[in-house]
Structure formats: C-alpha cells, structure tokens
Amino acid sequence: VAMAATRSVMRAVRVFEFGGPEVLKLQSDVLVPVPKENQVLIKVHACGVNPVETYIRSGTYARKPALPYTPGSDVAGVIESVGEHVTAFKKGDRVFTLETLSGGYAEYAVAAANRVFPLPDKLDFVQGAAIGVPYFTAYRALFQKGCAKAGESVLVHGASGGVGLAACQIARACGLKVLGTAGTEEGMDVVLRNGAHQAFNHRDPNYTERIKACTGPGGVDIIIEMLSNVNLDADLQLLSRAGRVMVVGCRGRIEINPRDTMSKESSIIGVSLFLASEEERHECATAVLDGIEAGWLKPVVGLEYPLEKVAQAHKDIINSSGARGKMVLLL
C-alpha cells in the first residue's frame, strides 16, 4: 500500500492520432501528473463520457488538442495533493470537476482548483462523474442563454441522456412545464421519473403533432436541442412567439427556412459551456450544489464501463438506440 502512494506511473487512455474509437489506447506507464500552483491532483474513481469527446477524438471538432492527449473532463474522486496557493481543498476531500488539464480517462488527473467542486456525501463517485458537463450545460442553456422563466414551457429534445435529464430536473425544479422526447419506452420512463410532465417518442412519425396537441396553439417557449442536424427544422414549427431553440448538440448540417423565425420572431441560440465566463461558471456551480442540497438534483447514471472498454463506450454513446442517463468509466 505504501508503494502505491509514491508510485509515479498510472494507467491512462492516450490518443496519438485523430480517428475512430480504436485510436483510444490504454497505457499503463503514463507518468502521474504533478499539480502546479492553483491546481489539484485527483485520484479518479469515475469519469463521465460526453458525446463531444468523440467529436474531438475524431478530429472533426473546432477545438483540437495537441497530440498525444488524454480525453475526459468530468471526473469524481478524492484529492491526492494540492499545488501552491490552493486553500479550498486538501488531501482526502471528495470532489467532482467540470474539466481537467491532464485528462480524465486516467487513474489520476490534474485540474485547475477553480474547476473543482466539493462532492456532497449524499452522492457517490459514479453520480459525481455525471454532474459537471451535463448539469452546467443544462443550466447554461436554460437560464444563461435561454432566459427561462417559471411558468414557461420547455421541450427537451433527447431528454434521456446526461444533459437532457439534467435539463428536465433543473427546469422542473424552477417552475417550468417540462416536455421531453426519447427514443425508447424505457427512455421515456426515465424522462418522466426525472421531472418531465409529459414524454414523447421521437421515433413515432407523428410525435411533433402530439407535442403540438399538448402545447396548444401557443407552442413551446424553449427547446433544448441535442440533435439539431435532425430536428432544427421541425423545432422551428413547434416554437411559441419569441420562442428559442438552444442548440446544445449537432452532428452535421441541416436545411431550414429562415422565414420560420420571422413569423414568430423566434431565435436559434448556440450553447457552449467552453465559452462560459468565470462568473457564469460560479453561478452554474452554485445552482447545482443548491440542487444537490435540496435533493432534486440526482444524477442518473446509465451504462458503466471499465477503463479498458473505453473504445466500446465511445462507439455506444454515438450509436446507441436510446440513452438512459450519463455514460461513465469506472476506475
């Protein structure tokens, strides 16, 4: 046991070239990173898998990390050591992160102290790995960019995944009427258990008509959109006057008619957590930690994979028939 604490190498996933899931290489001789000033070293217990990590890995995303790199931003674990000037955390603290500097698909990860948050005792590490990107993104989409207000209606398109379930929980807690879509019966059940007033199967050819019947002639105020390259054109038909589509996810191009925005003075707004200011991140963190404390914020974990199955996880997150919560790697 004494040896483990001082060992200087770890298992970590490394990407040496951009490409398919097969470029994710698990190595056992990666040096454990050392935290510099205002940084912490975390012993990782679990790490969330996000769709964006597959886009970055493939080399098609706007942001390309320098090769080689280790993917992963949402980790949960225990502080192993802290760099200079870190006063908020000490060795042994349970934490979760919003992003890491060295990569989260690894036994240890370095993160900036201001991207690390205390993990309350009522959540385990696997749940902790399902908080960062999904909940901060959902809060940003709803309130910081979408200007959601109690009493408005929100349609979460692709509500059974990590961001979708986070959006359902937050919107319900904040007094919105919540509608969600999923691709399976099981997915719809999860959505209804996590804050949605009604769920719709987006594989049903008439599902948009059912949503219209539910919202009435007024339409829906906000749409949180995970697959805009498929749904954006239909979304514009579902909006209320001055309604807004929040583009959270996209996997390609789509053709729309801009006239559809004119008739309702509706908006299409992109959402990127990466562009959040320090103040905005702090606001997200405060809302999230309050939600955990109040008991309505309960991360839903879906599929769990050991680190050696990381390539399979990357295949499944893009190709699965329907998400049921956040995908997590276990260490």
Side-chain angles (χ1 to χ4, degrees):
V1 174
M3 284 297 289
T6 55
R7 73 173 185 183
S8 53
V9 295
M10 64 174 181
R11 293 190 312 144
V13 174
R14 302 292 280 164
V15 175
F16 293 92
E17 58 181 329
F18 296 111
E22 69 282 354
V23 302
L24 297 162
K25 305 289 187 200
L26 180 57
Q27 303 204 291
S28 54
D29 57 352
V30 179
L31 287 174
V32 174
V34 176
K36 302 190 174 74
E37 63 177 345
N38 300 314
Q39 296 176 358
V40 298
L41 177 67
I42 300 164
K43 183 173 191 345
V44 178
H45 287 252
C47 180
V49 180
N50 296 293
V52 69
E53 288 147 23
T54 69
Y55 313 152
I56 294 169
R57 181 215 70 227
S58 69
T60 58
Y61 196 63
R63 293 204 325 276
K64 279 198 185 67
L67 296 168
Y69 77 99
T70 296
S73 55
D74 298 324
V75 308
V78 175
I79 298 282
E80 179 73 18
S81 61
V82 301
E84 283 185 86
H85 312 309
V86 174
T87 54
F89 300 102
K90 63 184 185 309
K91 183 176 167 68
D93 286 353
R94 288 162 41 96
V95 294
F96 72 93
T97 67
L98 186 58
E99 54 189 71
T100 68
L101 295 163
S102 60
Y105 297 7
E107 290 177 321
Y108 292 88
V110 161
N114 65 356
R115 303 288 198 282
V116 177
F117 307 94
L119 179 64
D121 287 338
K122 58 172 76 169
L123 299 183
D124 62 28
F125 291 118
V126 180
Q127 291 172 305
I131 301 172
V133 170
Y135 282 88
F136 282 55
T137 299
Y139 184 88
R140 181 167 180 76
L142 282 163
F143 298 105
Q144 293 177 342
K145 294 292 160 190
C147 304
K149 293 181 182 62
E152 287 192 312
S153 57
V154 59
L155 170 65
V156 183
H157 223 154
S160 62
V163 179
L165 289 169
C168 289
Q169 290 179 3
I170 294 170
R172 180 65 179 257
C174 294
L176 282 92
K177 180 180 181 183
V178 185
L179 312 177
T181 76
T184 62
E185 286 297 320
E186 193 180 358
M188 288 164 65
D189 288 342
V190 173
V191 169
L192 288 168
R193 285 203 304 273
N194 284 280
H197 292 87
Q198 283 186 268
F200 304 87
N201 189 330
H202 54 62
R203 294 180 201 280
D204 171 354
N206 299 318
Y207 85 97
T208 54
E209 296 310 314
R210 295 184 183 200
I211 292 170
K212 283 178 184 165
C214 177
T215 60
V220 67
D221 297 306
I222 303 169
I223 297 176
I224 307 291
E225 183 51 72
M226 311 304 165
L227 198 60
S228 49
N229 54 298
V230 171
N231 300 323
L232 187 58
D233 186 49
D235 288 343
L236 294 176
Q237 323 299 321
L238 294 171
L239 285 178
S240 64
R241 187 168 165 190
R244 46 265 187 224
V245 180
M246 312 309 301
V247 178
V248 171
C250 184
R251 297 182 187 177
R253 302 178 71 85
I254 185 172
E255 190 172 303
I256 62 165
N257 184 348
R259 188 178 293 275
D260 294 335
T261 65
M262 294 161 61
S263 57
K264 295 171 179 170
E265 292 193 325
S266 56
S267 313
I268 301 166
I269 302 169
V271 179
S272 171
L273 187 56
F274 185 68
L275 297 176
S277 67
E278 194 65 52
E279 292 74 24
E280 287 172 326
R281 272 195 306 272
H282 181 71
E283 182 194 340
C284 289
T286 305
V288 164
L289 291 167
D290 281 354
I292 297 170
E293 185 63 34
W296 57 258
L297 194 158
K298 289 198 180 75
V300 179
V301 175
L303 296 168
E304 301 177 14
Y305 297 79
L307 199 56
E308 46 273 14
K309 294 275 169 60
V310 62
Q312 190 61 47
H314 267 226
K315 286 193 192 93
D316 292 349
I317 200 167
I318 294 301
N319 301 320
S320 73
S321 62
R324 299 181 311 282
K326 169 83 177 192
M327 187 178 282
V328 173
L329 297 172
L330 304 178
L331 285 103

